[in-house]
Amino acid sequence: MKIHCVIAIVLTAGLFGACKKEKDGAENVTITFTEPSVGDTIPSWNQVHMEGTVSGDGEMKGYVISALNATTNEVLFTTAYDVTSKAYNFHEHWINNLYDTTSVTVKVEVIKNEAGDRETATRTVVCLP
């Protein structure tokens, strides 16, 4: 009788262990900007450098880099990368072709997992005409 109880306990423990879901994607993501610096001023027809690193504690599912008019939320530049990795280096350029002094938000949005959870970091710069 004791042997049957031991076998039942072992099988039950095995079932619970088999049902445990493996981690899918990253839970914690760190986005670090190298450029731009906070509050940079970008003269007319000069490039806004969007550069830095992303690291996660699991495989992330891609990222999007955008430059947005901070007042109107108009998309001035955007590019997306559908790349699965635990780390990314990003490096993009957009030329300031605006005709008015404009606050521009540089945004990096990382897709952390298959569920679509996201982590976002931003920097705001001033673009001169």
Side-chain angles (χ1 to χ4, degrees):
M1 183 72 149
K2 289 182 182 179
I3 192 78
H4 294 319
C5 289
V6 171
I7 292 173
I9 291 170
V10 170
L11 288 174
T12 303
L15 286 174
F16 283 117
C19 292
K20 186 177 180 181
K21 185 178 179 187
E22 288 188 31
K23 188 171 144 183
D24 180 30
E27 291 180 20
N28 299 299
V29 172
T30 302
I31 303 169
T32 305
F33 279 96
T34 305
E35 292 186 86
S37 295
V38 174
D40 272 356
T41 300
I42 313 300
S44 182
W45 298 103
N46 279 259
Q47 294 181 4
V48 176
H49 296 264
M50 298 168 270
E51 184 174 356
T53 60
V54 178
S55 60
D57 60 357
E59 288 204 338
M60 299 166 286
K61 307 303 177 191
Y63 62 100
V64 178
I65 300 174
S66 303
L68 309 164
N69 180 316
T71 303
T72 65
N73 224 20
E74 173 190 2
V75 177
L76 306 169
F77 168 87
T78 191
T79 189
Y81 294 92
D82 184 20
V83 180
T84 301
S85 183
K86 288 186 177 183
Y88 304 118
N89 291 318
F90 60 90
H91 190 151
E92 299 293 335
H93 297 257
W94 169 72
I95 294 178
N96 169 18
N97 58 359
L98 300 171
Y99 294 103
D100 291 316
T101 300
T102 306
S103 289
V104 173
T105 301
V106 175
K107 179 169 92 170
V108 177
E109 187 174 33
V110 178
I111 304 158
K112 294 168 42 172
N113 51 41
E114 291 290 339
D117 296 331
R118 295 171 185 259
E119 186 77 28
T120 302
T122 61
R123 288 281 171 94
T124 302
V125 299
V126 176
C127 290
L128 301 175

